């Protein structure tokens, strides 16, 4: 009795009568083939080229291994895929280790892969070249996206092994050139964990926010590793490391291997250094050289400024020789200013005197308000007398006419007509009285208006605003300085006809004959006229 791979017994079938060949079911035969192949090829190493790699949604990876003469199906289970040192890619030549088995559902045999490695350095270089071409097509190596390295970073982040000589070389070179604050993110620089740790370190430095805590954000990142074989540097050729370097917002310098070593991170970084020590030299300038440069620039700047000042001084002095003496120019203008000021004062005084004389002449031509009031009073009285005479004449004429008419009429109808005439005269009398009163009122209003106009022209309005009038004892106004002789007795007239006697200072009072008293102008009067018009 035998057992298959599922530990179920396999019973050999009995031969049919008349035949010595046993009969098998399809399942039995498939299980026998599966057990035979697994026992014969339980552990094999196969070299071939990967064809049609496909990762299933379950996590398993299916592919084909081929050479010039044959093709074999291969599968890598989900738990093994994460441990592979090489990612399966189309056309990659690899050496895989595993076991052979069958898949009865498709009547095919397949290789179950347990490990995978590149088949020689040529295959590795071919894979790297293909990866480089694909990433370059995505624009990750475009020079236009590379960032400028800061001239003097305050904080430098270093991604490397904490135990190797690389970090000591970087720190030593930084201390020699220009000491800076260094943050070390320890990572493995080779092996299966190296690529993931380097990627996490680059992304971790970029996640630090400026001023967010005790750990400052780096101004520059250096990814460094010492020299080694192509297999040792494979972590820096991985796609996730290259993409992290290209996506870094912080400027990044790659310093992987020696000067002849080239990895894909060198193309994605902002600057490539041939060695870790060279990366430190590229990161910071030499402090001594900077100080010497500053001192030299200071000396040259002072010399240049001195020469510029001297050139400007010589130019100003040359221009000054072609100009006149500023003091002489100012003195001439000052003298002209004094002359113009003196002439302006004299002109102003002369103009004021001419205006004063003109005002005096115009004032002399004006009639005194009292005279205009007296003339208006006389005119009003004359018109009143003429009106009275005209009224009396009209009344007399009407009365005579009435008497003549009354003498000729003796009949009763005539008496009736006379009575009608009397009634008509009686009706006209009030109208005549009203007309006479209205005419007198109009004349009085016009007289009052003229009086107000005269008052507006009168000097008394000026006196009411705080001025005073100086008159001699004869009532003549004193308008010029030569009239105010010392000792002259004058009257100072204020508002409201208030007068104060005074004497011009500077001499003894003089006595002059008092003029005759002027007759006061008569005030306008209105003579009422009463009577009856016949």
């Amino acid at each position: 009795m035998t057992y298959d791979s599922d530990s179920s017994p396999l019973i050999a079938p009995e031969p049919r009568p008349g035949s010595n060949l046993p009969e098998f079911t399809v399942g039995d035969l498939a299980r026998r083939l599966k057990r035979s192949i697994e026992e014969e090829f339980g552990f094999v190493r196969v070299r071939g080229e990967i064809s049609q790699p496909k990762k299933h949604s379950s996590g398993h990876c299916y592919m084909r291994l081929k050479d010039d003469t044959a093709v074999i199906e291969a599968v890598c289970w989900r738990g093994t895929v994460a441990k592979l040192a090489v990612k399966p890619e189309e056309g990659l030549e690899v050496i895989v280790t595993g076991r052979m088995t069958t898949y009865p559902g498709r009547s095919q045999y397949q290789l179950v892969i347990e490990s995978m490695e590149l088949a020689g350095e040529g295959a590795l270089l071919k894979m790297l070249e293909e990866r480089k071409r694909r990433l370059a097509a995505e624009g990750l190596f475009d020079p236009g996206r590379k960032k400028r390295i800061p001239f003097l970073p305050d904080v430098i982040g270093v991604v490397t092994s904490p135990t190797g000589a690389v970090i000591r070389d970087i720190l030593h070179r930084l201390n020699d050139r220009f000491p800076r604050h260094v943050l070390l993110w320890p990572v493995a620089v080779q092996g299966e964990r190296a690529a993931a740790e380097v990627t996490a370190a680059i992304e971790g430095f970029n996640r630090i926010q400026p001023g967010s805590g005790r750990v400052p954000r780096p101004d520059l990142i250096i990814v460094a590793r010492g020299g080694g074989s192509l297999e040792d540097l494979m972590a820096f050729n991985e796609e996730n490391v290259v993409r992290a370097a290209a996506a870094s917002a912080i400027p990044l310098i790659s310093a992987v291997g020696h000067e002849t070593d080239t990895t894909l991170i060198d193309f994605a970084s902002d600057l490539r250094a041939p060695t870790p020590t060279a990366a430190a030299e590229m990161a910071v300038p030499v402090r001594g050289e900077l100080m010497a440069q500053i001192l030299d620039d200071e000396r040259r700047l002072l010399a240049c400024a001195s020469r510029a000042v001297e050139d400007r001084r010589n130019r100003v002095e040359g221009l000054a020789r072609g100009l006149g003496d500023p003091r002489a120019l100012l003195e001439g203008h000052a003298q002209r200013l004094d002359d113009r000021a003196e002439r302006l004062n004299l002109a102003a005084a002369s103009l004021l005197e001419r205006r004063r004389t003109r005002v005096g002449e115009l004032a002399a031509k004006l009639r005194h308000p009292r005279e205009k009031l007296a003339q208006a009073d006389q005119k009003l009285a004359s018109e009143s007398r003429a009106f009275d005479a005209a009224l009396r004449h009209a009344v007399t004429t009407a009365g005579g006419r009435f008497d003549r008419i009354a003498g000729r009429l003796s009949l009763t109808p005539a008496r009736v007509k006379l009575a009608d005439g009397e009634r008509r005269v009686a009706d006209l009398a009030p109208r005549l009285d009203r007309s006479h009163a209205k005419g007198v009122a109009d004349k009085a209003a016009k007289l009052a208006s003229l009086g107000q106009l005269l008052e507006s022209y009168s000097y008394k309005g000026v006196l009411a605003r705080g001025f005073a009038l100086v008159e001699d004892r004869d009532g003549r106004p004193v308008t010029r300085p030569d009239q105010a002789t010392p000792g002259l007795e004058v009257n100072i007239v204020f508002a409201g006809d208030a007068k104060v006697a005074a004497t011009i200072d500077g001499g003894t009072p003089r006595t002059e004959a008092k003029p005759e008293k002027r007759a006061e102008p008569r005030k306008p009067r209105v003579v009422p006229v009463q009577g009856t018009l016949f």
Side-chain angles (χ1 to χ4, degrees):
M1 181 179 295
T2 60
Y3 296 86
D4 63 0
S5 58
D6 296 332
S7 299
S8 58
L10 295 177
I11 302 175
E14 296 292 336
R16 294 178 60 183
S19 175
N20 58 355
L21 294 177
E23 293 182 355
F24 296 94
T25 64
V26 175
D28 292 340
L29 182 59
R31 284 192 293 272
R32 283 179 176 273
L33 292 175
K34 179 181 179 67
R35 181 171 60 84
S36 299
I37 291 176
E38 288 179 349
E39 289 178 355
E40 180 67 21
F41 304 100
F43 181 81
V44 294
R45 285 173 59 87
V46 181
R47 179 171 182 164
E49 180 181 340
I50 297 177
S51 175
Q52 300 179 4
K54 181 178 67 174
K55 190 173 184 180
H56 198 268
S57 59
S58 61
H60 309 316
C61 185
Y62 298 93
M63 68 192 77
R64 291 181 177 181
L65 294 179
K66 66 179 181 177
D67 57 11
D68 298 337
T69 59
V71 177
I72 186 172
E73 300 289 337
V75 60
C76 184
W77 306 124
R78 180 178 59 187
T80 307
V81 171
K83 300 178 182 179
L84 293 180
V86 179
K87 182 180 178 180
E89 295 182 5
E90 180 71 27
L92 189 63
E93 186 177 1
V94 294
I95 297 176
V96 298
T97 303
R99 56 186 176 83
M100 292 297 300
T101 185
T102 64
Y103 182 53
R106 293 184 180 177
S107 299
Q108 68 180 20
Y109 60 90
Q110 61 185 9
L111 174 64
V112 178
I113 299 174
E114 296 179 355
S115 65
M116 180 183 297
E117 60 185 31
L118 293 173
E121 186 173 344
L124 185 60
L125 292 176
K126 179 181 179 182
M127 181 200 68
L128 293 180
E129 187 64 27
E130 177 64 23
R131 184 178 297 175
K132 177 182 176 182
R133 182 190 59 79
R134 180 166 49 83
L135 295 178
E138 297 181 15
L140 298 183
F141 304 155
D142 186 8
R145 51 157 295 280
K146 295 182 181 297
K147 295 172 286 296
R148 186 176 181 179
I149 303 300
F151 176 72
L152 185 61
D154 292 332
V155 180
I156 300 176
V158 179
V159 179
T160 189
S161 172
T163 58
V166 172
I167 184 63
R168 291 193 297 271
D169 293 342
I170 292 176
L171 294 177
H172 178 71
R173 181 58 64 185
L174 290 176
N175 289 331
D176 288 344
R177 294 174 65 85
F178 208 121
R180 297 282 86 187
H181 187 186
V182 177
L183 295 179
L184 173 63
W185 194 300
V187 295
V189 292
Q190 69 181 43
E192 297 180 357
R193 298 183 296 109
E197 292 184 2
V198 172
T199 302
I202 296 175
E203 294 175 350
F205 275 137
N206 280 271
R207 282 194 298 267
I208 299 176
Q209 299 297 325
S212 60
R214 298 176 56 185
V215 179
R217 178 184 174 90
D219 301 316
L220 178 67
I221 297 177
I222 298 177
V223 179
R225 187 202 187 282
S229 63
L230 183 60
E231 290 77 5
D232 295 336
L233 303 180
M234 273 302 297
F236 300 93
N237 291 314
E238 295 297 332
E239 186 173 341
N240 56 347
V241 175
V242 176
R243 293 186 180 276
S248 175
I250 303 174
L252 186 143
I253 299 177
S254 63
V256 178
H258 298 300
E259 186 171 359
T260 57
D261 297 327
T262 302
T263 56
L264 296 184
I265 193 176
D266 296 334
F267 300 98
S269 63
D270 299 304
L271 183 65
R272 176 186 179 272
T275 61
T277 303
E281 295 177 354
M282 295 177 178
V284 296
V286 180
R287 183 177 182 181
E289 294 179 355
L290 285 180
M291 295 179 64
Q293 182 66 34
I294 291 174
L295 294 176
D296 182 65
D297 292 343
E298 179 185 11
R299 178 183 58 79
R300 295 173 61 186
L301 181 61
L302 291 176
C304 181
S306 299
R307 286 195 302 270
V309 171
E310 186 64 25
D311 292 342
R312 299 299 188 276
R313 182 183 294 109
N314 295 334
R315 180 172 177 78
V316 169
E317 291 177 354
L319 295 175
R321 285 192 294 269
L323 298 175
D325 187 3
R327 293 187 181 87
L329 295 175
L330 291 177
E331 289 172 357
H333 288 294
Q335 186 175 1
R336 291 178 59 190
L337 180 61
D338 294 340
D339 180 58
R340 297 296 189 274
E342 183 177 359
R343 293 172 61 183
L344 181 61
N345 292 333
L346 295 176
S350 177
L351 179 62
L352 183 61
E353 184 62 27
R354 289 197 300 272
R355 294 293 187 271
R356 186 181 291 112
T357 302
R358 178 63 177 167
V359 170
E361 293 175 355
L362 295 176
K365 294 180 180 180
L366 294 175
R367 297 175 61 185
H368 199 279
R370 293 191 184 93
E371 296 178 2
K372 300 193 73 174
L373 288 175
Q375 183 181 0
D377 190 11
Q378 293 175 2
K379 184 177 180 182
L380 180 61
S382 176
E383 291 180 353
S384 180
R385 288 192 298 269
F387 185 74
D388 290 342
L391 183 59
R392 285 193 296 269
H393 177 70
V395 173
T396 302
T397 303
R401 183 180 180 188
F402 178 75
D403 290 339
R404 288 194 301 272
I405 294 173
R408 290 198 298 266
L409 295 176
S410 59
L411 297 177
T412 302
R415 293 292 184 183
V416 174
K417 291 182 179 179
L418 180 60
D420 292 339
E422 289 178 354
R423 284 196 300 273
R424 291 177 62 189
V425 171
D427 292 339
L428 291 174
R431 295 172 61 188
L432 183 59
D433 291 341
R434 287 194 298 270
S435 176
H436 174 264
K438 184 176 182 300
V440 173
D442 292 341
K443 295 295 182 180
K446 184 176 182 181
L447 180 61
S449 176
L450 293 174
Q452 292 178 359
L453 181 60
L454 290 174
E455 287 296 333
S456 66
Y457 290 156
S458 175
Y459 65 92
K460 292 184 179 181
V462 180
L463 298 180
R465 294 197 296 271
F467 295 89
L469 174 63
V470 181
E471 295 179 343
D472 58 14
R473 293 303 174 88
D474 296 334
R476 293 188 298 270
V478 180
T479 60
R480 296 191 304 275
D482 57 355
Q483 294 177 347
T485 58
L488 177 63
E489 294 182 356
V490 296
N491 291 326
I492 301 177
V493 183
F494 298 95
D497 293 335
K499 295 183 179 181
V500 176
T503 304
I504 301 300
D505 194 8
T508 58
R510 65 180 181 180
T511 303
E512 296 182 359
K514 296 183 178 180
E516 295 181 359
K517 187 176 182 181
R518 292 185 177 181
E520 293 292 335
R522 291 183 299 173
K523 297 182 179 179
R525 60 190 179 90
V526 179
V527 180
V529 178
Q530 297 180 355
T532 304
L533 180 62
F534 297 99

